[in-house]
């Protein structure tokens, strides 16, 4: 291709078809940009491409009847919180045509890519006609499809639903409205399974959630997911952890389903059975890589399409965005797949801009996520403790329990923050938060801090907004920073609940509960501990042996920190306090 600049000719990359326009700006000349997939990655890339180039021909090919719709809203539509189906459609094909001059072809599937000839084979799914289209730049945003767990009888059973496409949503919503089922089994405790279970509970169904791992929401550490399971059980759900569905059969006879079927019988790997009216299979999603594979694009070790920071695949004229890509993790620098809408939208802007001749870069992702289940929210950014360990990064963790706004202002809710920080530098590696309100705001502050490569000491100093309805003068993020920074500077020795459990099995130690007698009676205590309220500690310190290994604990870790300081200054050499207190002990499933 050639660049014409007032008569000058020079060679440029095949994809960079530019021309100086009369006003002196660089512009594209009729570049053909084809976008495969019309949701977060595809639609986002198409409109960005248009903002960069008025001259490009931009075509979006989408095999379903829907583009630019909110799959993230699907569980809330199922649950009835989003009442109008139309509300899920963010931008219509008509609007994409009228405002952005984008040629949107729904019910069109791209069958194959011929990279050498820069052509795609397309089929109109309404007419069955197939033909080829030339492109200058191609953007792949083919997204994810539901994972298919190897469960006998699951495939093809009409009472088994997935929750990924709009068609899935319509099928499930139609079934719920028409058949009025009363009980469901959700397979999978990831975020889609959790949101599905919550939606069905919201509709008043009996719900059993089956998760093969020993915790819900596997990306977070086990103890942080513990309150989720407890909350779902409080809401009436049965939560089966460490359990698998082995087979699905129609109740009373033939496998699969059929006319007049009244329900399903599920065989579990443990040998138990569960009867239900229907199943939602939410066992994860897998990237839809058939086209990328057929085109011979590089697929990386994280199982996604390899892209550079311009979202270019191994073929420079093919870009990719969204769930199919593997991208850089902002803490480890390693390739990861992050099938979430935030990253997909940001990648889409970069892919769209660059396909149209721009030069944008995508930094990478922390995998920041937040999920709401009933009244509880749980969020994560960066690395969990488990991930930091498996990456071999020396680290420490802190737990803090704070109210989301001033305790004296009505409606304060607790949240637990777990920070993971680099053992040597104090650099923030990750955070997880579970709580009743204000979780989203705190995780986003910490995500920003991680991306800015801040340390736990920087969190101490963050100047965050405060008024009683919103926060406390020491925001939960600051408090998390204070505690983690104390650990980092060696100002306090902490012991984590699981380490205390091990220690108690190995050794006889002095375990001191510094809460009040009322709290101990009401909430229980760690077996073997003796009560010595922090306000009596100075007077009663003589009752303790300063030569013995001593662990102090309270409800959340603040009073035990004070107790630690008192004991340390009174000659107790071997003392530590329980990180996160009795609340964290319970999250670890500690005995009471
Ligand atoms: P998709 O949205 O999957 O779109 C891909 C499109 O490509 C599909 O419409 C498909 O039909 C089309 N396509 C595929 N192959 C072809 C072909 N050969 N020809 C033509 N068209 C093709 N993320 C969050 O961050 N927060 C949330 O709360 C959240 N909630 C979610 C809830 C649910 C129920 C689901 C399913 C996902 C949720 N996500 C959430 C994830 C988020 O929706 C995805 O990460 C995002 O939609 C990915 O966008 P994408 O464009 O890569 O893929």
């Amino acid at each position: 291709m050639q660049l014409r600049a007032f008569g000058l000719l020079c060679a440029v990359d095949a994809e960079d078809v530019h021309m100086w326009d009369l006003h002196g700006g660089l512009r594209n000349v009729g570049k053909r940009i084809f976008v495969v997939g019309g949701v977060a990655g595809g639609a986002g890339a198409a409109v960005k491409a248009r903002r960069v180039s008025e001259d490009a021909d931009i075509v979006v090919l989408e095999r379903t009847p829907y583009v630019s719709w909110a799959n993230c809203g699907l569980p809330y539509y199922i649950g009835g919180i989003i009442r109008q189906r139309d509300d899920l459609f963010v931008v219509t094909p008509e609007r994409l045509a009228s405002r952005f001059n984008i040629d949107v072809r729904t019910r069109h599937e791209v069958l194959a890519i011929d990279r050498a000839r820069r052509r795609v084979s397309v089929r109109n799914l309404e007419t069955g006609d197939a033909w080829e289209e030339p492109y200058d730049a191609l953007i792949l945003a083919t997204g994810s499809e539901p994972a298919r767990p190897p469960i006998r009888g699951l495939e093809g059973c009409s009472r088994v639903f997935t929750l990924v496409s709009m068609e899935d949503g319509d099928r499930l919503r139609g079934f719920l409205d028409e058949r009025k089922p009363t009980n469901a089994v959700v397979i999978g405790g990831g975020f889609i399974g959790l949101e599905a279970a919550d939606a069905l509970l919201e509709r008043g169904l009996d719900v059993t959630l089956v998760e093969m791992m020993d915790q819900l929401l596997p990306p977070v550490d086990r103890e942080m997911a513990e309150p989720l399971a407890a909350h779902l059980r409080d809401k009436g759900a049965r939560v089966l952890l460490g359990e698998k569905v082995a087979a699905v059969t129609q109740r009373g006879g033939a496998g699969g389903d059929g006319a007049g079927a009244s329900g399903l019988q599920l065989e579990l790997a443990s040998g138990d059975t569960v009867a239900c009216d229907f199943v939602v299979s939410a066992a994860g999603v897998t990237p839809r890589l058939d086209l990328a594979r057929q085109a011979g694009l590089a697929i990386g070790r994280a199982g996604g399409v390899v892209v550079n920071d311009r979202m270019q695949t191994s073929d420079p004229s093919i870009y990719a965005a969204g769930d199919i890509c593997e991208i850089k993790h902002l803490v480890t620098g390693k390739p990861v797949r992050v099938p979430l809408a935030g990253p997909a939208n940001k990648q889409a802007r970069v892919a769209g801009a660059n396909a149209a001749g721009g030069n944008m870069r995508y930094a990478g992702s922390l995998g920041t996520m937040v999920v709401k289940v009933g009244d509880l929210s749980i969020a994560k950014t960066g690395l969990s403790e488990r991930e930091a360990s498996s990456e071999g990064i020396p680290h420490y963790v802190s737990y803090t329990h704070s109210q989301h706004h001033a305790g004296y202002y009505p409606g304060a809710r607790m949240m637990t923050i777990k920070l993971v920080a680099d053992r040597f530098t104090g650099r923030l590696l990750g955070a997880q938060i579970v709580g009743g309100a204000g979780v989203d705001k705190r995780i986003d502050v910490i995500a920003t801090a991680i991306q800015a490569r801040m340390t736990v000491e920087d969190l101490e100093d963050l100047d965050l907004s405060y008024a009683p309805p919103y926060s406390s003068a020491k925001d939960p993020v600051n408090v998390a920073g204070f505690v983690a920074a104390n650990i980092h500077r060696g100002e306090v020795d902490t012991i984590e609940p699981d380490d205390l459990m091990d220690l108690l099995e190995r050794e006889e130690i002095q375990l001191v509960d510094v809460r009040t007698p009322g709290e101990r009676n009401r909430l229980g205590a760690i077996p073997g501990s003796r009560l010595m309220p922090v306000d009596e500690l100075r007077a009663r310190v003589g009752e303790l042996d300063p030569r013995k290994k001593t662990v102090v604990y309270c409800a959340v870790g603040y009073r035990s920190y004070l107790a630690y300081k008192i004991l340390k200054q009174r000659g107790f050499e071997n003392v530590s306090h329980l990180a996160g207190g009795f609340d964290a002990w319970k999250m670890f499933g500690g005995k009471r």
Side-chain angles (χ1 to χ4, degrees):
M1 295 274 177
Q2 292 180 324
L3 180 78
R4 276 169 282 159
F6 298 119
L8 282 176
L9 289 176
C10 57
V12 294
D13 257 11
E15 64 187 310
D16 291 324
V17 192
H18 292 132
M19 174 178 162
W20 289 104
D21 69 15
L22 291 176
H23 307 290
L26 199 62
R27 72 181 177 86
N28 290 287
V29 182
K31 190 172 187 178
R32 266 200 123 204
I33 301 173
F34 264 71
V35 183
V36 191
V39 192
V47 295
K48 182 65 183 178
R50 172 59 72 227
R51 289 198 292 272
V52 170
S53 169
E54 262 301 303
D55 302 314
D57 285 339
I58 303 173
V59 182
V60 173
L61 299 156
E62 166 56 55
R63 69 173 164 204
T64 72
Y66 313 106
V67 289
S68 196
W69 68 281
N71 30 17
C72 306
L74 216 46
Y76 308 98
Y77 174 61
I78 297 301
I81 293 168
I82 296 175
R83 290 180 182 279
Q84 300 300 327
R85 183 178 180 277
D86 279 355
D87 290 344
L88 293 176
F89 297 99
V90 184
V91 187
T92 60
E94 294 72 31
R95 170 55 69 92
L96 286 170
S98 63
R99 177 160 294 175
F100 298 100
N101 187 24
I102 292 171
D103 177 1
V104 178
R105 303 183 198 164
T106 54
R107 301 287 288 141
H108 281 65
E109 182 172 25
V110 174
L111 305 170
I113 301 165
D114 182 341
R115 284 168 47 199
R117 292 167 56 237
R118 288 203 187 170
R119 280 167 186 271
V120 286
S121 313
V122 183
R123 176 181 291 144
N124 179 331
L125 297 175
E126 296 294 338
T127 63
D129 294 344
W131 65 95
E132 284 190 340
E133 294 269 5
Y135 65 82
D136 295 309
L138 187 65
I139 302 174
L140 292 183
T142 50
S144 295
E145 54 197 350
R148 311 218 168 271
I151 297 172
R152 250 181 304 125
L154 196 77
E155 280 302 311
C157 174
S158 67
R159 282 174 179 251
V160 173
F161 298 84
T162 49
L163 198 55
V164 171
S165 65
M166 191 62 229
E167 289 94 330
D168 290 342
D170 286 337
R171 248 188 91 217
L172 179 53
R173 179 75 191 247
F175 180 81
L176 292 168
D177 291 346
E178 283 155 30
R179 302 285 193 94
K180 310 255 181 294
T182 57
N183 63 70
V185 168
V186 176
I187 301 176
F191 79 88
I192 297 179
L194 288 170
E195 289 179 350
D198 191 36
L200 297 172
L201 287 166
E202 191 71 30
R203 288 183 72 114
L205 276 83
D206 284 338
V207 176
T208 301
L209 193 151
V210 186
E211 165 57 53
M212 66 178 185
M213 308 281 286
D214 64 354
Q215 67 165 88
L216 296 175
L217 206 60
V220 307
D221 289 323
R222 194 164 62 83
E223 77 283 6
M224 295 301 284
E226 197 56 40
L228 263 186
H231 187 62
L232 274 172
R233 288 181 179 125
D234 285 350
K235 285 181 58 122
R238 246 178 109 199
V239 179
L240 307 179
L241 299 176
E243 181 64 280
K244 271 186 185 174
V245 176
V248 178
T249 45
Q250 187 183 318
R251 231 171 7 217
D257 201 301
S262 58
L264 302 172
Q265 179 91 351
L266 270 53
E267 263 176 55
L268 305 180
S270 62
D272 287 349
T273 55
V274 182
C276 64
D277 293 327
F278 67 102
V279 165
V280 176
S281 176
V285 291
T286 52
R288 213 181 262 119
L289 295 174
D290 42 353
L291 265 186
R293 284 215 169 90
Q294 173 277 321
L297 299 177
I299 308 292
R301 59 195 152 112
V305 175
V306 174
V307 287
N308 62 16
D309 62 356
R310 301 184 74 239
M311 302 312 294
Q312 264 169 321
T313 67
S314 52
D315 178 334
S317 58
I318 303 182
Y319 297 77
D323 287 4
I324 58 166
C325 300
E326 57 177 58
I327 43 148
K328 188 170 89 174
H329 192 281
L330 285 171
V331 174
T332 65
K334 291 185 179 167
V336 281
R337 288 198 313 101
V338 181
L340 290 173
N345 276 279
K346 283 155 209 143
Q347 293 158 25
R349 295 181 73 238
V350 174
N354 293 341
N359 189 16
M360 284 181 73
R361 311 243 162 208
Y362 178 66
S365 168
L366 289 169
T368 309
M369 56 174 285
V370 61
V371 186
K372 177 183 169 301
V373 179
D375 298 333
L376 207 67
S377 299
I378 181 159
K380 179 197 176 211
T381 185
L383 300 182
S384 65
E385 183 180 9
R386 192 171 45 224
E387 288 162 343
S389 300
S390 69
E391 288 292 331
I393 304 175
H395 61 274
Y396 58 88
V397 304
S398 68
Y399 295 91
T400 44
H401 308 276
S402 309
Q403 290 180 328
H404 90 288
H405 63 47
Y408 58 81
Y409 187 88
R413 303 279 308 271
M414 289 302 288
M415 70 173 75
T416 300
I417 301 184
K418 177 176 183 177
L419 295 182
V420 184
D422 184 289
R423 189 192 296 157
F424 301 115
T425 63
R427 184 190 160 197
L428 284 162
L429 301 173
Q432 297 156 69
I433 311 183
V434 58
V439 168
D440 52 340
K441 159 170 151 167
R442 275 59 187 220
I443 204 73
D444 286 344
V445 171
I446 299 173
T448 309
I450 297 177
Q451 200 155 340
R453 302 182 75 81
M454 288 186 182
T455 66
V456 290
E457 288 176 309
D458 292 320
L459 286 193
E460 290 184 288
D461 294 335
L462 284 185
D463 187 12
L464 303 174
S465 63
Y466 161 60
Y470 300 108
S471 181
S472 299
K474 293 173 198 150
D475 187 87
V477 172
N478 296 129
V479 174
F482 299 154
V483 170
N486 283 342
I487 299 171
H488 182 66
R489 290 188 290 258
E491 289 172 16
V492 64
D493 291 310
T494 55
I495 181 163
E496 288 171 38
D498 48 349
D499 291 336
L500 178 59
M501 285 171 204
D502 291 347
L503 183 67
L504 289 172
E505 276 176 20
R506 281 197 320 268
E507 263 182 63
E508 203 195 311
I509 61 161
Q510 226 164 204
L511 182 58
V512 185
D513 178 355
V514 298
R515 296 172 301 166
T516 62
E519 284 172 279
R520 190 173 167 97
N521 290 339
R522 204 172 60 252
L523 303 168
I526 301 177
S529 61
R530 61 187 292 182
L531 181 68
M532 200 173 285
V534 69
D535 296 337
E536 298 173 15
L537 191 59
R538 287 184 184 88
R540 293 179 54 190
V541 71
E543 295 173 30
L544 298 172
D545 180 352
R547 289 158 309 173
K548 235 179 157 181
K549 176 150 187 64
T550 305
V551 175
V552 286
Y553 76 93
C554 63
V556 299
Y558 176 63
R559 285 170 292 174
S560 61
Y561 167 60
L562 301 180
Y564 167 92
K565 288 288 181 188
I566 293 168
L567 294 178
K568 201 77 187 170
Q569 291 176 55
R570 279 167 171 72
F572 286 70
E573 284 299 326
N574 199 353
V575 59
S576 52
H577 86 121
L578 177 62
F582 191 59
D583 280 2
W585 173 264
K586 284 186 290 185
M587 287 166 78
F588 273 86
K591 288 198 201 89
R592 281 172 257 174

